Amino acid sequence: MGAEPDIYNHTTETVPRPYPSIRPKAVYANSLGLLRHGKRLRPAMVTKSGVMVGLGETEEELLAVFHNMREHAIDVLTVGQYLRPTKKHAEVQRFYPPEAFVSLRAQAPAPGFRTVAPAALGRPSYPPQ
């Protein structure tokens, strides 16, 4: 925090249910807690996280994650399609059509994000709009 970043980002990656197989060395609650802690240290700093879709999550699980993020003071949300990088990684369970990202954008601001950036080829490193 001493570097005073404009944006503090930590990617949540996915909904809690597949965390053990997608991020075996990570804990969902710790990812959110890290962002909340950063916000407590620098309340004016923008916090950002992102999730991938296409790993078998339900819409209800995604919306619950969006709410969890706002409860942890996350300001910016990115959502992108999971693309399997190698055969050693999890298989894509679903490819979301472009209109699904439009729907996610419409649903995500309800909890009060500053910026929501869902896109089929969106990446967690997208800057806030």
Side-chain angles (χ1 to χ4, degrees), residues 27-87:
V27 177
Y28 173 77
N30 291 351
S31 291
L32 293 177
L34 180 70
L35 288 155
R36 175 179 261 174
H37 184 67
K39 182 63 102 173
R40 284 183 181 149
L41 292 174
R42 288 197 59 225
M45 177 181 58
V46 174
T47 53
K48 180 168 79 87
S49 191
V51 295
M52 300 177 296
V53 294
L55 290 163
E57 68 287 328
T58 66
E59 184 175 310
E60 292 78 20
E61 287 175 315
L62 278 173
L63 296 179
V65 166
F66 298 168
H67 281 75
N68 287 343
M69 287 181 173
R70 284 304 305 139
E71 289 168 354
H72 284 76
I74 296 168
D75 301 306
V76 177
L77 167 66
T78 60
V79 182
Q81 173 67 51
Y82 169 70
L83 299 172
R84 186 180 190 191
T86 71
K87 291 186 182 214

